[in-house]
Amino acid sequence: MVAKKDIQLICKNCGREYPYGFQMHCTTDECKGFISFSLGDNKIILRKDDNPLVRYFDILPIPSLEDAKYFGIQNTTLVHAKELGRRIGLDNLYIKCEGEYPTGTTKDRINAGNRAFLASQEIESIVSASTGSNSSSLAYSIQKWSGLKAQFFLAPDFLMRHHQREDIEGVEIYLIAGGYEYASRIAKNYAKSFGLKTDGGARNFVKRAVAGTAILEARDQAGKDFDWLFQAVSSGMGLIGSYEMLQIYKNIGMIGRMP
């Protein structure tokens, strides 16, 4: 699949370059580094649009603007927490309300971009281990936009975090007697056995980039640079994605400094 804009993939560890595609890690022996991306000489325009996939399209590793629109989501609210800030001595404390999304987490933002990426690669089935939020979000996206099948592997402790309340065509859930790491290994072996793709988690360069649009959006809503960013993490996808996208924002002159 040829990308519709110039996107080059690069190993963050050893620097090896790859053509655009479903490349979740470096394949150099003993490297296995995270994959990042370069936008080359693409012209960058930040569009005035409430869909962050459209607004930041030119700095995202998503090849098709139409897919970005089709699988799109909306901005979330940025709250100036004046009273909380006053209590702890911060006049400019802001809280990003990603819980406004349908399944209650930023994973809805992330999986909108992931669906656009998967569509660009003509991938029709995906395997994922989840702690609940990713599986809920991707299941919701499949319910809303058909064209993808998903098999989720969850440890029992995470079943209550999966918010799917009805059967969704194309979505299967497997409970694994173990923790998340064990479920992840089972998911990878299952995918390998049946010739399927795993969604890569934090190694998925598109998911990281789209996760990072939340902080770009917050900065644009506030209209000022931030000194500090506080962010909850699990696998680290959101924090890594924020750092990577802030670096791009700094490189194109949209912020004066890194938080």
Side-chain angles (χ1 to χ4, degrees):
M1 176 65 62
V2 177
K4 298 177 183 178
K5 63 182 180 184
D6 181 21
I7 307 172
Q8 188 72 31
L9 303 185
I10 305 169
C11 174
K12 290 171 66 70
N13 189 37
C14 72
R16 179 177 176 180
E17 296 185 355
Y18 295 90
Y20 184 84
F22 198 91
Q23 187 80 35
M24 294 294 106
H25 61 79
C26 182
T27 55
T28 301
D29 290 345
E30 300 182 359
C31 181
K32 305 298 183 183
F34 273 41
I35 296 296
S36 187
F37 63 95
S38 170
L39 297 171
D41 296 326
N42 291 301
K43 184 178 181 180
I44 294 175
I45 299 173
L46 299 179
R47 297 166 175 81
K48 293 182 179 180
D49 199 289
D50 288 337
N51 177 348
L53 298 186
V54 174
R55 174 171 172 75
Y56 303 113
F57 175 75
D58 285 344
I59 58 174
L60 288 173
I62 298 173
S64 168
L65 181 58
E66 291 307 311
D67 285 338
K69 292 178 180 177
Y70 182 73
F71 296 109
I73 30 77
Q74 299 298 306
N75 294 339
T76 56
T77 302
L78 184 74
V79 174
H80 188 178
K82 296 179 181 179
E83 178 59 21
L84 177 59
R86 183 187 65 79
R87 295 185 181 189
I88 60 177
L90 296 174
D91 293 333
N92 293 292
L93 176 64
Y94 293 88
I95 299 173
K96 196 79 167 96
C97 302
E98 294 288 273
E100 294 176 344
Y101 284 131
T103 67
T105 78
T106 194
K107 293 295 175 64
D108 290 348
R109 174 190 296 267
I110 294 167
N111 275 315
N114 195 31
R115 287 297 304 273
F117 171 53
L118 296 176
S120 78
Q121 301 303 295
E122 299 180 353
I123 292 172
E124 299 177 349
S125 187
I126 199 77
V127 177
S128 176
S130 177
T131 57
S133 57
N134 184 62
S135 58
S136 298
S137 173
L138 195 51
Y140 170 80
S141 82
I142 292 171
Q143 185 178 42
K144 186 173 182 181
W145 300 293
S146 61
L148 182 70
K149 295 181 180 179
Q151 293 83 43
F152 297 119
F153 290 77
L154 278 76
D157 289 348
F158 300 129
L159 182 59
M160 294 303 295
R161 298 185 188 178
H162 179 88
H163 305 306
Q164 183 180 331
R165 294 289 180 257
E166 58 189 71
D167 290 338
I168 297 175
E169 185 176 356
V171 175
E172 297 177 350
I173 300 174
Y174 301 95
L175 287 181
I176 302 300
Y180 172 75
E181 292 299 328
Y182 183 64
S184 181
R185 289 199 298 271
I186 296 296
K188 290 176 182 178
N189 289 336
Y190 176 92
K192 185 177 181 179
S193 297
F194 289 94
L196 301 172
K197 302 289 189 183
T198 59
D199 86 338
R203 288 184 174 273
N204 186 317
F205 61 92
V206 177
K207 292 179 73 171
R208 293 201 314 272
V210 177
T213 64
I215 183 61
L216 305 189
E217 185 177 295
R219 189 271 168 209
D220 292 342
Q221 289 168 320
K224 61 186 73 174
D225 290 357
F226 297 128
D227 295 316
W228 295 88
L229 166 64
F230 298 89
Q231 187 165 339
V233 298
S234 52
S235 67
M237 179 198 305
L239 188 60
I240 299 169
S242 294
Y243 181 77
E244 290 174 334
M245 294 306 287
L246 282 166
Q247 283 185 313
I248 291 175
Y249 233 37
K250 185 174 184 298
N251 289 341
I252 66 173
M254 290 300 296
I255 58 174
R257 63 184 185 278
M258 294 288 286

